[in-house]
Amino acid sequence: MSTLSTGHGASTPAGGGSVPDTRRPGAARDSGRVDLMARLHEWTVTVDHKRLGILYVASGLFFFVIAGIQATLMRLQLVVPVNDFLTPDTFNRLFTMHGTTMVFLVGMPVLLGIANFLVPLMIGARDMAFPRLNAFGFWLFLFGGLLLYYSYIGSAGLYGAGSTPDAGWFMYAPLTTRSFSRGNATDYWILGIMVSGFGSMTTAVNLVATIFSMRCPGMTLMRMPLLVWMMIVVAVLILAVMPVLTAAQVMLLFDRSLGAHFFNPQQEGSALLWQHLFWFFGHPEVYILILPAFGFISEIIPVFSRKVIFGYPLMVAATVAICFISLGVWAHHMFVAGLSPFLNALFAASTFLISVPTGIKIFNWIGTMWGGRIRFDVPMLFATGFLALFVFGGLTGIMLAVVPFDWQLSDTYFVVGHFHYVLIGGTLFGIFGAIFYWFPKAFGCKLDERLGKWTFWIFLIGFTLTFFPMHISGMLGMPRRIYTYQPDRGWELWNLISTIGVPLQIAGVSILVWNIIRTLRRGEPCGDDPWDAWTLEWATTSPPPEWNFHEVPVCTSRRPLWDRKHPEDPDEHYE
Ligand code: HEM
Ligand SMILES: [Cu+2]
C-alpha cells in the first residue's frame, strides 16, 4: 500500500496529464521530479472532499506540533521557581499563540477536516454540495493561520514594538487597545483569525447544504449516523457565533486603526462589551470543539461493543438541546467581572442545565457498552479514555459554575486543569480515536495496533501527570498566566510533576507520527471494512474512488451495512 495518492491513481485527472515516458533512457531520474510536481499540483487544485479533508487534518497536525512546542517552552519555564529561561514578554506571547493556535488552527481544522472527509461518505453522497467553496474554505483557513504566524516577522510595524500577539487567546480590552498593545501584533491576530474564521463559515454552510440536500435514497434524518447529526449541530453553532466574533474583531480593528471607541470606557465605550461578544462566541466554540468528538465516539463505541447505539432519538435530542443551551451560558466566563448577582445566578443556572443533556449522552454511551462484546482495539481505547477524562473535566466545570467557588478559583491553574481535561481528554482523544478508526478508510491500511497502544498509554500517563496536579496548584492559589513564582508557596512539587509529564506526551505523539509515516510507506492492505462496521462509508472501497460509490447506495435503516451483511437479522429489530 503506498502513499497519499493511493486510490486516486486510477483516476488521475485528465488535466494533470504530464505523465513522463519512463521508457526513454535517462528519463527515470527527472520523472521522479515531474511526478512529484504533478502530484503536488493535483493536491493544490483538488476539490475532492476526501483530499481536502486529508489536507485539513495534515495542516492541523502541523500546527499541533508548533503549539505543542510552545506549550513545552512554557512548562520548561515553570519547572522551578524564579526561573529566567524565558522573559515575561516571551511567556505572554507563548500562551497567547498556544491557545489561539490550539483552538483555531488545530481543533477547528482537524474536526472540520474529518467532517469533510466523512459526511458525504456517511450519507451516501458523491461530494459536498459546493466542492469549490470547500476548497476555498481550506485555503482561507491555511492562509489565515500563516498570516497569524507571519506576525513573528511582520508585526514590529510602524510603532517599533514587536513580535506576536500577547494579550491571551481571548484578547481582552483594554489590553488590546493601542495604548497597551503597540505595533501590529494584535492586528495580525484580528486579521489572521478572521480569515480562517471565514473558512470555518464556508465549511459550515457547505455541511448544512450537503446534509439537507444530498442524502442517498432512504437516508431519513432519523437514520443518519449520529456523527452526521452532531456535525450539523456544529455547523449551525458556527453560523450562529462566528459572525459575532468577526463583528467584534472589526470593531476592535476600528478602535485600533480608525480611532473608534467601542471598547474604551474613557470615551463612553465598554471593555465589558468585548467580553460579552467574545464569550458569546467563545463558549459555544468549546461545544464546536467537543461535539464532533462526541460524534466520533458515538460511531466507535457501538461498533466495538457489537451493539446498536443506546437511545438514538435521545442522543439526537440531547445534541440539539446542547446547541441551544450553549448559546445562553457565556457569562460563566465572567463571574469575576462584576455582573449583577441576578445575572450571575442566571448564568450559573443555565450552566448547570447544560449538564443534563451531556449526562444523558454519557449514560447512553455506557448503556451501549453495557453487556456488549467489547473489543479493545485502539479506537475503542481512546473512546473509553475520552469517557473517563471528559466526565472528570465536566465535573470540575460544574464546580466552576458555582459562583462563589469560581470567585475563589477563577484565573488559577484549577481552570487550566479543567479545560485541558475537556479539550485534550475530550477533543484530542476523540480525534486520536477517529484517526485510528478511519485511517483504513482513507488509506486502505490499518495503523499499527501495538504502536497505537503505546501511544495511548504513554500519552495518557503524561497527560495525567501534567494536568491533574494543576487542580492542586490552582487550589493552593497559583494564578494562571504568570511567568514565574516565588519558592515556599507549596507550588514547586506540583509544577515539577506537571513538567515531567511533558516528555511523555511528546513521546506518545511522536509514536503516533511514526506510526502514520510507517503505515503510509509500507502498511498491509486491510480490505474495505476492517472493523466489521455498519455505516455507509464502509460500504465502498478503501480508499474510496474519487466518485465515492460505484453505485449510489440505498439506505434501509440506521445500520445499512449491517442489513446487507445480515439479511436474516435486519436492523429494524433494534430500532
Ligand atoms: C465541553 C468542553 C469544554 C471546554 C472545551 C471548556 C473550555 C473552557 C475554557 C477554555 C475555559 C477558560 C476560560 C478562561 O479563559 O478563563 C473554561 C472555563 C470555564 N468552564 Fe469550561 N469547557 C468545557 C466544558 C465545560 C462544562 C461542561 C462546564 C460546566 C458544566 C464548564 C464550565 C466552565 C466554567 C464555569 C468556566 C469559567 C471558569 C473561570 O472563568 O474561572 N466548561 N472552560
Ligand atoms: Cu463556557
Side-chain angles (χ1 to χ4, degrees):
M1 209 68 291
S2 67
T3 56
L4 291 177
S5 77
T6 332
H8 300 279
S11 58
T12 307
S18 56
V19 181
D21 178 6
T22 40
R23 283 161 307 176
R24 185 168 50 83
R29 198 159 5 99
D30 41 75
S31 87
R33 211 173 57 228
V34 174
D35 228 40
L36 185 72
M37 289 312 284
R39 203 179 292 161
L40 212 64
H41 181 255
E42 248 180 63
W43 278 82
T44 41
V45 299
T46 189
V47 293
D48 175 352
H49 73 96
K50 299 181 290 300
R51 289 188 168 198
L52 287 165
I54 292 168
L55 284 173
Y56 263 116
V57 176
S59 338
L61 292 181
F62 167 74
F63 282 115
F64 177 66
V65 172
I66 295 184
I69 293 172
Q70 290 159 344
T72 308
L73 291 173
M74 287 190 280
R75 276 317 322 165
L76 281 177
Q77 164 66 20
L78 293 171
V79 64
V80 288
V82 217
N83 197 357
D84 60 3
F85 169 61
L86 299 174
T87 62
D89 207 43
T90 313
F91 194 85
N92 288 351
R93 298 184 195 288
L94 282 174
F95 73 68
T96 304
M97 292 298 274
H98 165 80
T100 306
T101 307
M102 282 296 191
V103 172
F104 293 103
L105 306 179
V106 180
M108 295 284 272
V110 171
L111 296 169
L112 290 179
I114 298 178
N116 237 299
F117 184 93
L118 286 178
V119 165
L121 287 169
M122 287 186 136
I123 61 173
R126 295 223 183 275
D127 204 327
M128 297 277 269
F130 309 112
R132 285 184 184 76
L133 183 69
N134 205 7
F136 183 56
F138 167 74
W139 294 104
L140 279 178
F141 141 70
L142 187 63
F143 282 101
L146 296 179
L147 183 59
L148 178 71
Y149 271 85
Y150 188 72
S151 61
Y152 269 109
I153 304 168
S155 75
L158 291 174
Y159 297 85
S163 204
T164 55
D166 59 358
W169 83 282
F170 35 78
M171 285 278 146
Y172 280 171
L175 283 176
T176 42
T177 53
R178 266 275 173 242
S179 13
F180 296 103
S181 166
R182 298 165 68 72
N184 295 327
T186 295
D187 306 299
Y188 274 94
W189 183 87
I190 297 172
L191 293 172
I193 297 310
M194 197 189 286
V195 170
S196 68
F198 282 129
S200 313
M201 287 187 260
T202 60
T203 306
V205 170
N206 219 339
L207 279 173
V208 173
T210 306
I211 295 171
F212 280 129
S213 68
M214 314 256 300
R215 280 168 289 130
C216 69
M219 171 87 57
T220 58
L221 288 179
M222 289 310 271
R223 279 182 183 169
M224 293 194 308
L226 278 177
L227 182 136
V228 177
W229 261 112
M230 308 222 177
M231 288 300 179
I232 200 154
V233 168
V234 167
V236 169
L237 271 180
I238 289 179
L239 292 176
V241 302
M242 280 309 271
V244 176
L245 176 68
T246 306
Q249 287 174 316
V250 172
M251 290 157 79
L252 186 56
L253 207 57
F254 280 9
D255 272 13
R256 290 177 53 81
S257 307
L258 302 178
H261 302 289
F262 290 111
F263 306 120
N264 179 358
Q266 279 163 349
Q267 306 277 344
E268 313 257 304
S270 158
L272 260 194
L273 176 61
W274 172 267
Q275 289 199 30
H276 279 297
L277 293 175
F278 184 84
W279 288 117
F280 182 77
F281 148 80
H283 186 80
E285 171 68 16
V286 309
Y287 290 91
I288 293 169
L289 293 175
I290 198 73
L291 283 172
F294 284 2
F296 303 152
I297 76 159
S298 300
E299 299 303 324
I300 292 172
I301 287 181
V303 167
F304 289 87
S305 308
R306 313 307 305 156
K307 277 178 67 194
V308 292
I309 187 93
F310 180 79
Y312 176 101
L314 211 57
M315 288 297 253
V316 172
T319 309
V320 176
I322 287 178
C323 173
F324 285 109
I325 304 173
S326 75
L327 291 170
V329 304
W330 75 90
H332 68 205
H333 296 267
M334 301 165 65
F335 286 152
V336 293
L339 304 180
S340 70
F342 173 73
L343 276 181
N344 279 349
L346 204 67
F347 279 98
S350 59
T351 307
F352 293 142
L353 196 62
I354 208 164
S355 62
V356 175
T358 313
I360 289 178
K361 279 176 180 253
I362 289 169
F363 280 114
N364 283 3
W365 288 320
I366 295 174
T368 307
M369 291 164 69
W370 197 271
R373 278 175 289 129
I374 300 181
R375 296 177 289 172
F376 277 107
D377 297 280
V378 178
M380 186 63 172
L381 272 185
F382 278 105
T384 38
F386 171 107
L387 275 181
L389 301 179
F390 182 78
V391 167
F392 185 88
L395 289 179
T396 53
I398 301 282
M399 289 161 78
L400 287 168
V402 178
V403 178
F405 187 90
D406 184 68
W407 281 348
Q408 202 64 33
L409 285 161
S410 191
D411 284 326
T412 68
Y413 263 80
F414 188 92
V415 175
V416 184
H418 152 69
F419 68 74
H420 283 91
Y421 262 76
V422 243
L423 282 173
I424 301 183
T427 307
L428 198 65
F429 271 56
I431 289 173
F432 284 175
I435 290 179
F436 277 90
Y437 183 57
W438 280 291
F439 192 91
K441 183 40 62 186
F443 300 107
C445 39
K446 271 191 193 177
L447 289 169
D448 187 84
E449 282 279 314
R450 208 169 43 88
L451 288 179
K453 286 182 176 153
W454 278 102
T455 295
F456 174 77
W457 288 109
I458 295 183
F459 191 83
L460 180 70
I461 295 169
F463 166 84
T464 307
L465 282 177
T466 299
F467 293 103
F468 186 79
M470 289 185 181
H471 297 91
I472 304 173
S473 51
M475 292 211 247
L476 293 174
M478 178 166 164
R480 59 196 283 211
R481 310 186 197 107
I482 51 170
Y483 87 105
T484 194
Y485 50 93
Q486 295 297 318
D488 298 327
R489 303 203 166 175
W491 306 344
E492 287 98 327
L493 178 64
W494 310 116
N495 277 286
L496 181 65
I497 299 175
S498 282
T499 304
I500 289 175
V502 172
L504 288 174
Q505 295 188 62
I506 295 177
V509 175
S510 309
I511 296 174
L512 174 63
V513 172
W514 163 240
N515 198 348
I516 293 177
I517 294 173
R518 206 179 79 137
T519 310
L520 285 176
R521 288 172 61 179
R522 51 187 176 89
E524 294 288 324
C526 65
D528 295 340
D529 179 20
W531 308 113
D532 193 12
W534 38 62
T535 34
L536 280 181
E537 76 274 26
W538 304 103
T540 183
T541 53
S542 294
E546 202 169 285
W547 47 87
N548 285 358
F549 298 93
H550 292 291
E551 265 167 54
V552 172
V554 176
C555 179
T556 47
S557 68
R558 275 178 205 147
R559 298 192 300 167
L561 198 55
W562 173 274
D563 289 354
R564 220 182 283 182
K565 287 191 276 197
H566 302 276
E568 76 291 352
D569 179 30
D571 188 60
E572 53 194 290
H573 288 175
Y574 300 91
E575 277 177 18

